[in-house]
Amino acid sequence: MDGCWYERCGRMQMAKQDKEFVKEITPQSEDFSRWYIDVIQKADLMDYAPVRGCIVFKPDGYELWEACQRELDVRFKRTGHRNAYFPLFIPESFFEKEKEHVEGFNPELPWVTEAGGEKLEERLAIRPTSETVIGHMYARWIHSYRDLPVLINQWANVVRWEKRTLPFLRTSEFLWQEGHTAHATAEEAERETRQMLDVYTDFVENVLAVPVFRGQKTPSEKFAGAVATYSLEAMMKDGKALQAATSHYLGQNFAKGFEIKYLDKDNQLKYVYTTSWGISTRILGAIIMVHGDDKGLVLPPKIAPTQVIIVPIGPQKERARVVEHAGTLRDQLLSAGWRVRMDDREDFSPGWKFNEYEMRGVPIRLELGPRDIASGQVTLARRDTGEKLAVPESELAARLPQLMDDIQATMYQKAKQFADDHSHIAHSLGEITEIIQSQRGFVLAGWCGDDGCERRIKEEAGATSRNIPFQPPQTLPTCAVCGRPAAHSVWYAKAY
RNA sequence: CGGAGCAUAGCGCAGCUUGGUAGCGCGCCUGCCUUGGGAGCAGGAGGUCGUGGGUUCAAAUCCCGCUGCUCCGACCA
């Protein structure tokens, strides 16, 4: 080994470091978890807060959530729901009214025991979810079948003192929406539960461009206090599952616990049937992990805080002219309703800006330089494919909607392809374990319905049941663990 | 909550083994120059070394506690 080798090696090392500095993001293939942490911080979505497990949603992160709220809210209203707001504090006694519910949430409740310098007579929990307070209120509001159904949604923050936290995916405090409805009949409540799952499906697939696996949770995975829980599961790029939304049919469990009764047409006092359904800021994690790549975020146009970033390019002499022209374009796009920003800072090179906004996931970059102006065109670059195209300025307004739609559709298809490619079918525990451990992804397997078999899959393969699909791609005749006849086909995966 | 790792300037790190003036790159500020894929030169600012104790004449460095973050497990949206 001579000195040359070391020297060359050192130089190569340096070059590599430079390159990595430029990228600033750990490649997904190297370490997906680090990629995730790098991306959310570099793209300025969040920052760690001074309280353990809590994060700050910075404007770009919060605007993503606002976009989700906007899209969901119209869908809730369209299906007849109205928003209301219930208190953050829940009296301790409320939790004892539904047995499964207490057991499910007790370990993660934070308590207020003192206020105004005095010890409280009854401890107050900071809500982990609002079934109990809402149940209490519904009992006061509902007396007759004429009062039903009650269709209310709440946008709120909730707290669950999680052991292990991860930004967006699992934080001590998170933001969400929780719908709570009460109905006269089981059928109507069940229909509501399924309807909201459909609403979520529409939102997640068409707005977030994230394909979902729809189905019912197994008893061990269902919500504490529910009769049935339905979920949408999404597959992240590391093959792990993330529960994108849930909808619960609560039967009369909470109605009985909180005495929510109504006098029916037949003059009989009856318990109502309730539902609850929610989607949380965890969904931001899905957007990031389903679409992101080694350059950073890739955001679906429908929710991107900035849909078009305009980068004017030009030497000093031409700069004023180019910036003015770009400003006019920006104003046109703004009045056409696009979320557009222009970055005309002079102390950053165009190349720097290209990388920056790619990292931030902006769907379309509009470059405008003297050459573009001379030929009456703009240069557009797609974040999803990296493709650059020259578009005559006169056609920009017309082309943009198509282009955005195409990006949205392409992103969905890419994600769908990935999910399909990483969905497998297994016939034995060994096969499940092999697939989960060698390639991750989702595995469909037959299940007899026994908790023990489900638990063995968790122990051996490290995968949990995600849900029982409504329409399994294949119906498996026998339980993958015990070989008895299968009652269901179940999706298994490692999960966030 | 168990197991492992990390904590030094805004960010990424070196220094710690063997205690003795806190360093580098990027970023930031000023000026010049520059702009079609993270430009260049010159000058400059910025750190009670996460925190609390201990050992020592002396602690970023050694020892103990605590906190936070990351990873791996058990619990969850």
Side-chain angles (χ1 to χ4, degrees):
Chain A
M1 247 359 99
D2 60 21
C4 257
W5 186 84
Y6 279 104
E7 215 178 291
R8 201 164 61 240
C9 203
R11 229 180 282 131
M12 279 162 65
Q13 199 68 16
M14 197 67 100
K16 197 183 161 215
Q17 270 175 8
D18 282 354
K19 210 167 174 185
E20 273 165 10
F21 167 74
V22 163
K23 290 198 148 186
E24 288 183 337
I25 294 170
T26 308
Q28 290 184 337
S29 57
E30 188 183 312
D31 184 342
F32 194 82
S33 308
R34 258 200 81 183
W35 170 86
Y36 178 74
I37 297 295
D38 286 350
V39 165
I40 58 179
Q41 291 187 92
K42 301 268 158 57
D44 216 21
L45 300 184
M46 57 74 67
D47 196 3
Y48 290 101
V51 179
R52 193 197 78 99
C54 292
I55 61 166
V56 173
F57 288 75
K58 295 184 78 175
D60 278 323
Y62 193 69
E63 281 177 22
L64 278 175
W65 178 237
E66 287 183 314
C68 293
Q69 289 183 299
R70 207 166 54 225
E71 294 282 347
L72 285 166
D73 208 64
V74 295
R75 287 167 171 78
F76 297 155
K77 303 248 168 85
R78 208 183 288 147
T79 43
H81 303 86
R82 298 184 69 194
N83 289 330
Y85 187 80
F86 297 84
L88 172 69
F89 303 113
I90 300 180
E92 181 166 21
S93 55
F94 280 30
F95 281 92
E96 275 129 41
K97 298 185 180 184
E98 214 293 332
K99 196 172 131 270
E100 265 189 56
H101 196 66
V102 214
E103 287 167 7
F105 283 107
N106 242 340
E108 40 189 50
L109 293 181
W111 294 99
V112 178
T113 58
E114 206 184 305
E118 282 172 40
K119 197 153 189 157
L120 297 177
E121 271 178 51
E122 182 180 6
R123 297 198 292 171
L124 299 173
I126 298 177
R127 65 175 163 224
T129 179
S130 305
E131 273 75 7
T132 58
V133 226
I134 294 180
H136 175 84
M137 298 313 296
Y138 281 9
R140 293 166 47 128
W141 297 344
I142 297 167
H143 304 103
S144 153
Y145 70 93
R146 294 178 206 277
D147 296 326
L148 296 171
V150 176
L151 306 173
I152 284 180
N153 174 62
Q154 159 165 266
W155 290 98
N157 58 335
V158 287
V159 172
R160 297 180 188 178
W161 218 253
E162 297 292 344
K163 306 283 163 57
R164 196 181 159 194
T165 61
L166 197 51
F168 297 125
L169 303 177
R170 223 175 13 248
T171 47
S172 298
E173 179 190 11
F174 58 95
L175 306 179
W176 78 346
Q177 145 287 305
E178 49 180 325
H180 294 271
T181 68
H183 307 262
T185 65
E187 299 69 52
E188 191 184 307
E190 279 170 341
R191 210 178 314 128
E192 166 79 5
T193 310
R194 293 292 291 266
Q195 172 188 250
M196 297 323 287
L197 197 71
D198 290 344
V199 165
Y200 287 142
T201 305
D202 170 51
F203 165 70
V204 175
E205 297 207 316
N206 298 323
V207 176
L208 307 184
V210 171
V212 296
F213 294 72
R214 296 155 51 86
Q216 180 171 0
K217 286 290 193 182
T218 60
S220 72
E221 293 278 331
K222 77 174 170 56
F223 175 72
V227 172
T229 290
Y230 302 93
S231 77
L232 303 183
E233 305 285 332
M235 192 193 296
M236 306 300 102
K237 273 193 177 168
D238 61 354
K240 287 170 80 172
L242 190 144
Q243 183 173 296
T246 47
S247 187
H248 315 291
Y249 169 59
L250 305 173
Q252 294 182 313
N253 292 350
F254 286 87
K256 286 180 176 162
F258 289 86
E259 293 292 322
I260 315 173
K261 290 183 284 199
Y262 69 100
L263 201 55
D264 206 352
K265 286 177 192 159
D266 58 8
N267 205 36
Q268 296 286 309
L269 209 49
K270 297 175 183 174
Y271 287 111
V272 300
Y273 294 83
T274 63
T275 79
S276 69
W277 26 274
I279 197 164
S280 77
T281 39
R282 167 180 275 190
I283 199 73
L284 302 190
I287 301 166
I288 297 159
M289 290 193 290
V290 166
H291 300 303
D293 62 22
D294 284 348
K295 290 177 155 184
L297 289 179
V298 182
L299 296 174
K302 287 189 183 167
I303 52 151
T306 301
Q307 296 168 303
V308 181
I309 182 69
I310 299 179
V311 180
I313 299 159
Q316 205 91 72
K317 293 156 283 185
E318 313 214 49
R319 214 173 149 83
R321 183 171 70 92
V322 174
V323 169
E324 196 197 333
H325 196 116
T328 309
L329 279 177
R330 178 197 52 196
D331 295 343
Q332 281 169 13
L333 296 181
L334 277 174
S335 52
W338 298 106
R339 296 187 289 276
V340 48
R341 289 191 166 85
M342 175 166 79
D343 187 346
D344 60 355
R345 289 177 296 176
E346 297 195 19
D347 40 357
F348 290 90
S349 70
W352 188 91
K353 293 176 188 172
F354 295 172
N355 287 293
E356 177 70 10
Y357 293 102
E358 280 166 5
M359 184 188 70
R360 290 168 177 264
V362 178
I364 294 178
R365 176 178 68 245
L366 189 159
E367 303 170 16
L368 186 79
R371 293 209 299 269
D372 293 305
I373 294 177
S375 51
Q377 63 170 39
V378 298
T379 300
L380 300 182
R382 290 175 62 146
R383 174 60 178 94
D384 64 327
T385 59
E387 185 191 352
K388 273 199 190 193
L389 52 159
V391 173
E393 220 183 292
S394 57
E395 290 174 26
L396 182 61
R399 289 284 295 279
L400 221 42
Q402 301 167 7
L403 189 56
M404 291 288 188
D405 285 350
D406 193 61
I407 291 172
Q408 186 85 27
T410 303
M411 286 178 67
Y412 177 83
Q413 278 152 18
K414 218 184 262 182
K416 176 79 173 125
Q417 188 66 51
F418 182 89
D420 289 347
D421 290 347
H422 295 81
S423 297
H424 313 277
I425 288 172
H427 304 276
S428 68
L429 180 53
E431 220 180 314
I432 296 173
T433 309
E434 206 284 318
I435 293 167
I436 291 293
Q437 288 175 0
S438 67
Q439 37 194 329
R440 294 276 173 105
F442 285 27
V443 181
L444 189 75
W447 181 49
C448 61
D450 186 66
D451 282 0
C453 291
E454 193 180 355
R455 209 174 318 118
R456 280 210 59 195
I457 291 177
K458 191 170 181 175
E459 285 158 8
E460 305 264 324
T464 51
S465 76
R466 300 326 306 155
N467 63 26
I468 303 165
F470 299 133
Q471 283 137 358
Q474 192 173 325
T475 302
L476 296 148
T478 57
C479 178
V481 179
C482 67
R484 285 180 292 178
H488 308 287
S489 297
V490 178
W491 284 117
Y492 294 94
K494 283 185 185 271
Y496 277 101

